[in-house]
Coordinates of all heavy atoms in Angstrom, one line a residue:
M27 N 109.1 87.2 102.6 CA 108.0 87.7 103.5 C 108.6 88.7 104.4 O 109.6 88.5 105.1 CB 107.4 86.6 104.2 CG 106.3 86.9 105.1 SD 104.6 87.2 104.5 CE 104.4 86.3 103.0
I28 N 107.9 89.9 104.6 CA 108.4 90.9 105.5 C 107.7 90.6 106.8 O 106.5 90.4 106.9 CB 107.9 92.3 105.0 CG1 108.5 92.6 103.6 CG2 108.3 93.4 106.0 CD1 108.0 93.8 102.9
D29 N 108.6 90.6 107.8 CA 108.1 90.3 109.2 C 108.7 91.3 110.2 O 109.5 92.2 109.7 CB 108.4 88.9 109.6 CG 109.9 88.5 109.6 OD1 110.7 89.4 109.5 OD2 110.2 87.3 109.7
H30 N 108.5 91.2 111.4 CA 109.0 92.2 112.4 C 110.5 92.1 112.5 O 111.1 93.1 112.7 CB 108.3 92.0 113.8 CG 106.9 92.5 113.8 ND1 106.5 93.8 113.8 CD2 105.7 91.8 113.8 CE1 105.2 93.9 113.8 NE2 104.7 92.7 113.8
A31 N 111.0 90.9 112.4 CA 112.5 90.8 112.5 C 113.2 91.6 111.4 O 114.2 92.3 111.6 CB 112.9 89.3 112.4
L32 N 112.6 91.5 110.2 CA 113.2 92.3 109.0 C 113.0 93.8 109.3 O 113.9 94.6 109.0 CB 112.6 91.8 107.7 CG 113.1 92.5 106.4 CD1 114.6 92.2 106.3 CD2 112.4 92.0 105.2
L33 N 111.9 94.2 109.8 CA 111.6 95.6 110.1 C 112.6 96.1 111.1 O 113.0 97.2 111.1 CB 110.2 95.8 110.5 CG 109.1 95.7 109.4 CD1 107.7 95.9 110.1 CD2 109.3 96.6 108.3
D34 N 112.9 95.2 112.1 CA 113.9 95.6 113.1 C 115.2 96.0 112.5 O 115.8 97.0 112.8 CB 114.1 94.5 114.2 CG 112.9 94.3 115.1 OD1 112.0 95.2 115.2 OD2 112.8 93.2 115.7
L35 N 115.7 95.1 111.6 CA 116.9 95.4 110.9 C 116.9 96.6 110.0 O 117.8 97.4 109.9 CB 117.3 94.1 110.1 CG 117.7 92.9 110.8 CD1 117.9 91.7 109.9 CD2 119.0 93.1 111.7
Y36 N 115.8 96.8 109.4 CA 115.6 97.9 108.5 C 115.7 99.2 109.3 O 116.3 100.2 108.9 CB 114.3 97.8 107.7 CG 114.1 98.7 106.5 CD1 114.7 98.4 105.3 CD2 113.4 99.9 106.6 CE1 114.6 99.2 104.2 CE2 113.2 100.7 105.5 CZ 113.8 100.3 104.3 OH 113.7 101.2 103.2
E37 N 115.0 99.3 110.4 CA 115.0 100.4 111.3 C 116.4 100.7 111.9 O 116.9 101.8 111.9 CB 113.9 100.3 112.4 CG 112.5 100.5 111.9 CD 111.5 100.5 113.0 OE1 111.6 99.6 113.8 OE2 110.6 101.4 113.0
K38 N 117.0 99.6 112.3 CA 118.3 99.7 112.9 C 119.3 100.3 112.0 O 120.2 101.1 112.4 CB 118.8 98.3 113.3 CG 120.2 98.2 113.9 CD 120.5 96.7 114.2 CE 121.9 96.5 114.6 NZ 122.1 95.1 114.9
S39 N 119.2 100.0 110.7 CA 120.2 100.4 109.7 C 119.7 101.7 109.0 O 120.4 102.2 108.1 CB 120.4 99.3 108.7 OG 119.3 99.1 107.9
K40 N 118.5 102.2 109.3 CA 117.9 103.3 108.7 C 117.8 103.1 107.2 O 118.0 104.0 106.3 CB 118.7 104.6 108.9 CG 118.6 105.0 110.4 CD 119.4 106.2 110.6 CE 119.2 106.8 112.0 NZ 119.7 106.2 113.1
G41 N 117.5 101.8 106.8 CA 117.2 101.5 105.4 C 118.5 101.2 104.6 O 118.4 100.9 103.4
D42 N 119.7 101.2 105.2 CA 120.9 101.0 104.5 C 121.6 99.7 105.0 O 122.1 99.7 106.1 CB 121.8 102.2 104.8 CG 123.2 102.0 104.1 OD1 123.4 101.0 103.3 OD2 124.0 102.9 104.2
P43 N 121.5 98.6 104.2 CA 122.0 97.3 104.7 C 123.5 97.4 104.9 O 124.0 96.6 105.7 CB 121.7 96.3 103.6 CG 121.4 97.2 102.4 CD 120.9 98.5 102.9
G44 N 124.2 98.3 104.3 CA 125.6 98.5 104.5 C 126.0 98.9 105.9 O 127.1 98.7 106.4
R45 N 125.0 99.4 106.7 CA 125.3 99.7 108.1 C 125.2 98.5 109.0 O 125.5 98.6 110.2 CB 124.2 100.8 108.6 CG 124.4 102.1 107.9 CD 123.4 103.1 108.4 NE 123.6 104.4 107.8 CZ 123.0 105.5 108.2 NH1 122.1 105.4 109.2 NH2 123.2 106.6 107.7
L46 N 124.7 97.4 108.5 CA 124.6 96.2 109.3 C 125.8 95.4 109.3 O 126.5 95.3 108.3 CB 123.4 95.3 108.8 CG 122.0 95.9 108.9 CD1 121.0 95.0 108.2 CD2 121.6 96.1 110.4
P47 N 126.2 94.7 110.4 CA 127.3 93.7 110.3 C 127.0 92.7 109.3 O 125.9 92.3 109.0 CB 127.3 93.1 111.7 CG 126.5 94.0 112.6 CD 125.5 94.7 111.7
E48 N 128.1 92.2 108.7 CA 128.0 91.2 107.6 C 127.1 90.0 107.9 O 126.3 89.6 107.1 CB 129.3 90.7 107.1 CG 129.2 89.9 105.9 CD 130.6 89.6 105.3 OE1 131.6 90.3 105.5 OE2 130.7 88.6 104.6
E49 N 127.2 89.5 109.2 CA 126.4 88.3 109.5 C 124.9 88.6 109.6 O 124.1 87.7 109.4 CB 126.9 87.7 110.9 CG 126.8 88.7 112.1 CD 128.0 89.6 112.3 OE1 128.9 89.6 111.5 OE2 128.0 90.3 113.3
E50 N 124.6 89.9 109.8 CA 123.1 90.3 109.8 C 122.6 90.5 108.4 O 121.4 90.5 108.2 CB 122.9 91.5 110.7 CG 123.0 91.2 112.2 CD 122.7 92.4 113.0 OE1 122.8 93.5 112.5 OE2 122.3 92.2 114.2
R51 N 123.5 90.7 107.5 CA 123.1 91.0 106.1 C 122.8 89.7 105.3 O 122.1 89.7 104.3 CB 124.2 91.7 105.3 CG 124.2 93.2 105.6 CD 125.2 93.9 104.8 NE 126.4 94.1 105.6 CZ 127.6 94.2 105.2 NH1 127.9 94.2 103.9 NH2 128.6 94.4 106.0
N52 N 123.3 88.6 105.7 CA 123.1 87.3 105.1 C 121.6 87.0 105.0 O 121.0 87.0 106.0 CB 123.9 86.2 105.7 CG 125.4 86.3 105.6 OD1 125.9 86.9 104.6 ND2 126.2 85.8 106.5
G53 N 121.2 86.7 103.8 CA 119.8 86.2 103.6 C 118.8 87.3 103.5 O 117.6 87.1 103.6
L54 N 119.2 88.6 103.5 CA 118.2 89.7 103.5 C 117.5 89.8 102.2 O 116.3 90.3 102.1 CB 118.9 91.0 103.8 CG 119.4 91.2 105.3 CD1 120.0 92.6 105.4 CD2 118.2 91.1 106.2
E55 N 118.2 89.5 101.1 CA 117.5 89.6 99.8 C 116.6 88.4 99.5 O 116.9 87.4 100.0 CB 118.6 89.6 98.6 CG 119.4 90.9 98.7 CD 118.7 92.2 98.4 OE1 117.7 92.1 97.6 OE2 119.1 93.2 98.8
P56 N 115.5 88.5 98.9 CA 115.0 89.7 98.2 C 114.0 90.5 99.1 O 113.5 91.5 98.7 CB 114.2 89.0 97.0 CG 113.7 87.7 97.6 CD 114.8 87.3 98.5
G57 N 113.8 90.0 100.3 CA 112.8 90.7 101.2 C 113.2 92.2 101.4 O 112.4 93.0 101.5
W58 N 114.5 92.4 101.5 CA 115.0 93.8 101.8 C 114.6 94.7 100.6 O 114.1 95.8 100.8 CB 116.5 93.8 101.9 CG 117.0 95.1 102.4 CD1 117.3 96.2 101.7 CD2 117.3 95.5 103.8 NE1 117.7 97.3 102.5 CE2 117.7 96.8 103.8 CE3 117.2 94.8 105.0 CZ2 118.1 97.5 104.9 CZ3 117.5 95.5 106.1 CH2 118.0 96.8 106.1
T59 N 114.8 94.2 99.4 CA 114.4 95.0 98.2 C 112.9 95.3 98.2 O 112.5 96.5 98.0 CB 114.8 94.3 96.9 OG1 116.2 94.1 97.0 CG2 114.5 95.1 95.7
V60 N 112.1 94.3 98.5 CA 110.6 94.5 98.5 C 110.3 95.5 99.6 O 109.5 96.5 99.4 CB 109.9 93.2 98.7 CG1 108.4 93.4 98.9 CG2 110.2 92.3 97.6
L61 N 110.9 95.4 100.8 CA 110.6 96.3 101.9 C 111.0 97.7 101.5 O 110.3 98.7 101.8 CB 111.4 95.8 103.1 CG 111.4 96.7 104.4 CD1 110.0 97.1 104.8 CD2 112.2 96.1 105.5
D62 N 112.2 97.9 100.9 CA 112.6 99.2 100.5 C 111.7 99.8 99.5 O 111.3 101.0 99.6 CB 114.0 99.1 99.9 CG 114.8 100.4 99.9 OD1 114.8 101.0 101.0 OD2 115.6 100.6 99.0
E63 N 111.2 99.0 98.5 CA 110.2 99.5 97.5 C 108.9 100.0 98.2 O 108.4 101.0 97.9 CB 110.0 98.4 96.5 CG 111.1 98.1 95.6 CD 111.0 96.9 94.7 OE1 109.9 96.2 94.9 OE2 111.8 96.7 93.9
L64 N 108.4 99.1 99.1 CA 107.2 99.5 99.8 C 107.3 100.7 100.6 O 106.4 101.5 100.7 CB 106.7 98.3 100.6 CG 106.1 97.2 99.8 CD1 105.8 95.9 100.6 CD2 104.8 97.6 99.1
S65 N 108.4 100.8 101.3 CA 108.7 102.0 102.1 C 108.7 103.3 101.2 O 108.1 104.3 101.6 CB 110.1 101.9 102.8 OG 110.4 103.0 103.6
Q66 N 109.3 103.2 100.1 CA 109.3 104.4 99.2 C 107.9 104.6 98.6 O 107.5 105.8 98.5 CB 110.3 104.1 98.1 CG 111.8 104.1 98.5 CD 112.7 103.8 97.4 OE1 112.4 104.0 96.2 NE2 113.9 103.3 97.8
D67 N 107.2 103.6 98.3 CA 105.8 103.7 97.8 C 105.0 104.4 98.9 O 104.2 105.4 98.5 CB 105.2 102.4 97.4 CG 105.7 101.8 96.2 OD1 106.3 102.6 95.4 OD2 105.6 100.6 96.0
L68 N 105.1 104.0 100.1 CA 104.3 104.6 101.2 C 104.6 106.1 101.4 O 103.8 106.9 101.6 CB 104.4 103.8 102.5 CG 103.8 102.4 102.5 CD1 104.2 101.6 103.7 CD2 102.2 102.5 102.4
H69 N 105.9 106.4 101.3 CA 106.4 107.8 101.4 C 105.7 108.6 100.2 O 105.2 109.7 100.5 CB 107.9 107.8 101.3 CG 108.4 109.2 101.3 ND1 108.6 110.0 102.4 CD2 108.8 110.0 100.2 CE1 109.1 111.2 102.1 NE2 109.2 111.2 100.7
M70 N 105.7 108.1 99.0 CA 105.1 108.8 97.9 C 103.6 109.0 98.1 O 103.1 110.1 97.8 CB 105.4 108.1 96.6 CG 106.9 108.2 96.2 SD 107.3 107.6 94.5 CE 106.5 106.1 94.4
I71 N 103.0 108.0 98.6 CA 101.5 108.1 98.8 C 101.2 109.1 99.9 O 100.3 110.0 99.7 CB 100.9 106.7 99.3 CG1 101.0 105.7 98.1 CG2 99.5 106.8 99.8 CD1 100.7 104.3 98.5
R72 N 102.0 109.1 101.0 CA 101.8 110.1 102.1 C 101.9 111.5 101.6 O 101.2 112.4 102.1 CB 102.8 109.9 103.2 CG 102.4 108.9 104.2 CD 103.3 108.9 105.4 NE 104.7 108.6 105.2 CZ 105.2 107.4 105.1 NH1 104.4 106.3 105.3 NH2 106.5 107.2 104.9
H73 N 102.8 111.7 100.6 CA 103.0 113.1 100.1 C 102.3 113.4 98.8 O 102.5 114.5 98.2 CB 104.5 113.3 99.9 CG 105.3 113.3 101.2 ND1 105.3 114.3 102.1 CD2 106.0 112.3 101.8 CE1 106.0 114.0 103.2 NE2 106.4 112.8 103.1
G74 N 101.3 112.6 98.4 CA 100.5 112.9 97.3 C 101.1 112.7 95.9 O 100.5 113.3 95.0
Y75 N 102.1 111.9 95.8 CA 102.8 111.8 94.5 C 102.2 110.6 93.7 O 102.7 110.4 92.6 CB 104.3 111.6 94.7 CG 105.0 112.8 95.3 CD1 105.8 112.5 96.5 CD2 104.9 114.0 94.8 CE1 106.4 113.6 97.0 CE2 105.5 115.1 95.4 CZ 106.3 114.9 96.5 OH 106.9 115.9 97.1
T76 N 101.2 109.9 94.1 CA 100.7 108.8 93.4 C 99.2 109.0 93.1 O 98.5 109.8 93.7 CB 100.9 107.5 94.2 OG1 100.1 107.6 95.4 CG2 102.3 107.3 94.6
T77 N 98.8 108.1 92.2 CA 97.3 108.1 91.8 C 96.6 107.2 92.8 O 97.2 106.4 93.5 CB 97.1 107.6 90.4 OG1 97.6 106.2 90.3 CG2 97.9 108.4 89.4
D78 N 95.3 107.3 92.8 CA 94.5 106.3 93.6 C 94.7 104.9 93.2 O 94.8 104.0 94.0 CB 93.0 106.7 93.6 CG 92.7 108.0 94.3 OD1 93.5 108.4 95.2 OD2 91.6 108.6 94.0
G79 N 94.8 104.7 91.9 CA 95.0 103.3 91.4 C 96.4 102.7 91.9 O 96.4 101.6 92.2
Y80 N 97.4 103.6 91.9 CA 98.7 103.1 92.4 C 98.6 102.8 93.9 O 99.2 101.8 94.3 CB 99.8 104.1 92.1 CG 101.2 103.5 92.3 CD1 101.7 102.6 91.4 CD2 101.9 103.8 93.4 CE1 103.0 102.0 91.6 CE2 103.1 103.2 93.7 CZ 103.6 102.3 92.8 OH 104.9 101.7 93.0
A81 N 97.9 103.7 94.6 CA 97.8 103.4 96.1 C 97.1 102.1 96.3 O 97.4 101.4 97.3 CB 97.0 104.6 96.7
K82 N 96.1 101.8 95.5 CA 95.4 100.5 95.7 C 96.3 99.3 95.3 O 96.3 98.3 96.0 CB 94.1 100.4 94.8 CG 93.0 101.4 95.3 CD 91.9 101.4 94.3 CE 90.8 102.4 94.8 NZ 89.7 102.5 93.9
H83 N 97.1 99.5 94.3 CA 98.1 98.5 94.0 C 99.1 98.2 95.2 O 99.4 97.1 95.5 CB 98.9 98.9 92.7 CG 100.2 98.2 92.6 ND1 100.3 96.9 92.1 CD2 101.5 98.6 92.8 CE1 101.5 96.5 92.0 NE2 102.3 97.5 92.4
V84 N 99.5 99.3 95.8 CA 100.4 99.2 97.0 C 99.7 98.5 98.1 O 100.3 97.6 98.8 CB 101.0 100.6 97.4 CG1 101.7 100.5 98.7 CG2 101.9 101.1 96.3
E85 N 98.4 98.8 98.3 CA 97.7 98.1 99.4 C 97.7 96.6 99.2 O 97.8 95.8 100.1 CB 96.2 98.6 99.4 CG 96.1 100.0 100.0 CD 96.6 100.1 101.4 OE1 96.3 99.3 102.2 OE2 97.4 101.1 101.6
R86 N 97.4 96.2 97.9 CA 97.4 94.7 97.6 C 98.7 94.1 97.8 O 98.9 93.1 98.4 CB 96.9 94.5 96.2 CG 95.4 94.8 95.9 CD 95.0 94.3 94.6 NE 95.7 95.0 93.5 CZ 95.3 96.2 92.9 NH1 94.3 96.8 93.4 NH2 96.0 96.7 91.9
R87 N 99.8 94.8 97.5 CA 101.1 94.3 97.6 C 101.5 94.2 99.1 O 102.2 93.3 99.5 CB 102.1 95.2 96.9 CG 103.5 94.6 96.8 CD 104.3 95.3 95.8 NE 105.6 94.6 95.7 CZ 106.8 95.2 95.4 NH1 106.8 96.5 95.1 NH2 107.9 94.5 95.3
L88 N 101.1 95.2 99.9 CA 101.4 95.1 101.3 C 100.8 93.9 101.9 O 101.4 93.2 102.7 CB 100.8 96.3 102.1 CG 101.6 97.7 101.9 CD1 100.7 98.8 102.4 CD2 102.9 97.6 102.7
K89 N 99.5 93.6 101.6 CA 98.9 92.4 102.1 C 99.6 91.1 101.6 O 99.6 90.1 102.4 CB 97.4 92.4 101.7 CG 96.6 93.4 102.4 CD 95.2 93.5 102.0 CE 94.5 94.6 102.8 NZ 93.2 94.8 102.4
R90 N 100.1 91.1 100.4 CA 100.7 89.9 99.9 C 102.1 89.7 100.5 O 102.6 88.6 100.7 CB 100.8 90.1 98.3 CG 101.4 88.9 97.6 CD 101.3 89.0 96.1 NE 102.2 90.1 95.7 CZ 101.8 91.2 95.0 NH1 100.5 91.4 94.8 NH2 102.6 92.1 94.6
E91 N 102.9 90.8 100.7 CA 104.3 90.7 101.1 C 104.5 90.7 102.6 O 105.6 90.3 103.0 CB 105.1 91.9 100.5 CG 105.0 91.9 98.9 CD 105.8 90.8 98.2 OE1 106.5 90.1 98.9 OE2 105.7 90.7 97.0
C92 N 103.6 91.2 103.4 CA 103.8 91.3 104.8 C 103.2 90.1 105.5 O 102.1 89.6 105.2 CB 103.2 92.6 105.4 SG 104.0 94.1 104.8
A93 N 103.8 89.7 106.6 CA 103.4 88.5 107.4 C 102.0 88.6 107.9 O 101.3 87.6 108.0 CB 104.4 88.2 108.5
D94 N 101.7 89.8 108.4 CA 100.3 90.0 109.0 C 100.0 91.5 109.1 O 100.9 92.3 108.7 CB 100.2 89.3 110.3 CG 101.1 89.8 111.4 OD1 101.5 91.0 111.4 OD2 101.6 89.0 112.2
E95 N 98.8 91.8 109.5 CA 98.4 93.2 109.6 C 99.3 94.0 110.5 O 99.4 95.2 110.3 CB 96.9 93.3 110.0 CG 96.3 94.7 109.8 CD 96.4 95.2 108.4 OE1 96.2 94.5 107.4 OE2 96.6 96.5 108.3
S96 N 99.8 93.4 111.6 CA 100.7 94.2 112.5 C 102.0 94.7 111.8 O 102.5 95.8 112.1 CB 101.0 93.4 113.8 OG 101.8 92.3 113.5
V97 N 102.4 93.9 110.9 CA 103.6 94.3 110.1 C 103.3 95.4 109.2 O 104.0 96.4 109.0 CB 104.2 93.0 109.4 CG1 105.3 93.5 108.4 CG2 104.7 92.0 110.3
V98 N 102.1 95.3 108.5 CA 101.6 96.4 107.6 C 101.5 97.7 108.4 O 102.0 98.7 108.0 CB 100.3 96.0 107.0 CG1 99.7 97.2 106.2 CG2 100.4 94.8 106.1
A99 N 100.9 97.6 109.6 CA 100.7 98.8 110.4 C 102.0 99.4 110.8 O 102.2 100.6 110.8 CB 99.9 98.5 111.6
R100 N 103.0 98.6 111.2 CA 104.3 99.1 111.6 C 105.0 99.7 110.4 O 105.7 100.7 110.6 CB 105.1 97.9 112.2 CG 106.5 98.4 112.7 CD 107.1 97.2 113.4 NE 108.5 97.6 113.7 CZ 109.4 96.7 114.0 NH1 109.1 95.4 114.2 NH2 110.7 97.1 114.2
L101 N 104.9 99.1 109.3 CA 105.6 99.6 108.1 C 105.0 101.0 107.7 O 105.7 101.9 107.4 CB 105.5 98.6 106.9 CG 106.1 99.0 105.6 CD1 107.6 99.4 105.7 CD2 105.9 97.9 104.6
R102 N 103.7 101.1 107.8 CA 103.0 102.4 107.5 C 103.5 103.5 108.5 O 103.6 104.7 108.1 CB 101.5 102.3 107.7 CG 100.8 101.6 106.6 CD 99.3 101.6 107.0 NE 98.6 100.6 106.2 CZ 98.3 100.8 104.9 NH1 98.6 101.8 104.3 NH2 97.6 99.8 104.3
A103 N 103.8 103.1 109.7 CA 104.2 104.1 110.7 C 105.6 104.5 110.6 O 106.0 105.5 111.2 CB 103.8 103.6 112.1
M104 N 106.4 103.7 110.0 CA 107.9 104.0 109.9 C 108.1 105.3 109.1 O 107.5 105.5 108.1 CB 108.6 102.8 109.2 CG 108.7 101.6 110.1 SD 109.4 100.2 109.2 CE 110.9 100.8 108.6
R105 N 109.1 106.1 109.6 CA 109.5 107.3 108.9 C 111.0 107.3 108.9 O 111.7 107.6 109.9 CB 109.0 108.6 109.6 CG 107.5 108.7 109.8 CD 106.9 109.0 108.5 NE 105.5 109.4 108.7 CZ 104.4 108.6 108.6 NH1 104.6 107.3 108.4 NH2 103.2 109.0 108.7
L106 N 111.6 106.9 107.8 CA 113.1 106.9 107.7 C 113.6 108.1 106.9 O 113.0 108.5 106.0 CB 113.6 105.6 107.2 CG 113.3 104.4 108.0 CD1 113.8 103.1 107.3 CD2 114.0 104.5 109.3

């Protein structure tokens, strides 16, 4: 589940878990991978590289993978 704590780490490292101290990297998978995928999907949607159907798929996935709507809103606003 993607929550604000995971987003904090993602922003801190600019999306690169290798930039985090080892103790902060423990337990990041699989949430990190999902977060990275959704971040890339949102970037592609913003720049018009996806179909409407794919954008709807991403919307459903955001609701399923994020802890709440505030996490979804924060993820949408992120620009890495």
Side-chain angles (χ1 to χ4, degrees):
M27 179 80 29
I28 299 169
D29 58 13
H30 287 288
L32 184 58
L33 290 180
D34 288 344
L35 292 173
Y36 196 79
E37 286 182 315
K38 175 181 173 179
S39 69
K40 295 181 171 68
D42 180 1
R45 293 182 176 188
L46 295 172
E48 188 172 335
E49 62 273 5
E50 289 183 337
R51 281 185 262 155
N52 291 333
L54 288 180
E55 293 293 334
W58 190 276
T59 301
V60 173
L61 173 54
D62 204 40
E63 290 170 354
L64 286 170
S65 179
Q66 291 175 25
D67 287 341
L68 290 170
H69 175 82
M70 290 189 312
I71 291 167
R72 275 192 295 275
H73 293 282
Y75 297 126
T76 64
T77 64
D78 289 338
Y80 190 77
K82 288 177 184 176
H83 162 75
V84 171
E85 288 300 315
R86 288 189 301 272
R87 192 167 182 209
L88 283 166
K89 290 178 182 176
R90 184 176 64 243
E91 301 290 352
C92 293
D94 60 36
E95 190 58 39
S96 69
V97 174
V98 173
R100 184 174 168 193
L101 181 53
R102 285 182 197 284
M104 287 174 53
R105 303 285 193 267
L106 295 177

